[in-house]
Amino acid sequence: MTDTYQRAEQWEAHASDYEIALRERPDDIEVWMNLTTLYWQATDPGISAGKGMSVDFFKFSADRLSALLAIGRERFAGIPQAEFWTRYVEWAECGRPLEVAECREWLARAPQFKDPALYILMATPGAPCDGDVAQLLAECRGQETMRADYIVSVIEARAERNSWLADPPS
């Protein structure tokens, strides 16, 4: 993660900013994705403890994440971004099945939305960096959002492990 999210206070401040933005722009899928990703990551005990988050923020994040996933299913029904992130979080947290074929369908329905390539990369061990993953990485680098930070960290970790991105561009 970038320096943007190094301390608990910064996470709480960003959560507050995203909450305000979502109230002002309730149909803004980008704000929803970032807020959902922030609370999802904040409910990770290792991240929470490592950043020094309070138990109250941890509990609030868990409750709010549940509400945001419901918003994703209801308010953003049929939108690939919400479908992917709702399913991805449920896969990561609860083991709900997520299929590569579903991700390919989201990529086909919304070609500008490359996030499903993240799961495809994770679900296909040893796969090289393909065009969708490279585009996603390029798009997310330099963005200071929770979603982008998460995506970059996962892709770079996979790249390092598989040695297909020897020298990540800045």
Side-chain angles (χ1 to χ4, degrees):
M1 301 238 168
T2 65
D3 292 339
T4 306
Y5 297 96
Q6 291 303 313
R7 294 191 332 264
E9 301 82 24
Q10 292 165 318
W11 284 60
E12 292 182 28
H14 285 288
S16 177
D17 291 345
Y18 284 134
E19 289 284 4
I20 291 167
L22 192 60
R23 276 193 302 276
E24 292 173 353
R25 300 183 314 274
D27 295 325
D28 188 328
I29 192 74
E30 293 290 326
V31 173
W32 176 86
M33 285 189 297
N34 283 302
L35 187 58
T36 299
T37 305
L38 186 147
Y39 286 135
W40 170 51
Q41 292 295 288
T43 62
D44 180 294
I47 291 174
S48 181
K51 303 295 181 189
M53 292 180 201
S54 70
V55 172
D56 289 340
F57 186 69
F58 181 86
K59 289 178 181 177
F60 177 81
S61 295
D63 291 342
R64 190 66 177 121
L65 176 60
S66 179
L68 286 165
L69 293 174
I71 287 170
R73 284 187 292 277
E74 295 164 13
R75 183 181 304 162
F76 299 115
I79 298 173
Q81 292 89 330
E83 290 175 351
F84 170 73
W85 278 103
T86 299
R87 294 291 308 285
Y88 183 82
V89 169
E90 291 171 345
W91 163 77
E93 289 300 304
C94 307
R96 180 179 177 195
L98 180 59
E99 301 296 329
V100 168
E102 292 173 287
C103 293
R104 292 191 196 289
E105 178 186 323
W106 289 315
L107 287 167
R109 282 178 38 210
Q112 75 289 355
F113 176 62
K114 301 296 182 190
D115 294 18
L118 179 70
Y119 178 78
I120 294 170
L121 177 70
M122 294 169 60
T124 52
C129 177
D130 72 5
D132 288 331
V133 173
Q135 286 179 351
L136 179 59
L137 182 60
E139 171 196 319
C140 290
R141 279 207 173 113
Q143 289 184 13
E144 292 189 5
T145 66
M146 180 53 86
R147 176 191 142 270
D149 281 355
Y150 173 77
I151 288 170
V152 168
S153 70
V154 170
I155 293 173
E156 287 182 348
R158 179 66 180 267
E160 185 177 307
R161 187 171 57 245
N162 290 353
S163 303
W164 47 251
L165 188 60
D167 210 4
S170 303

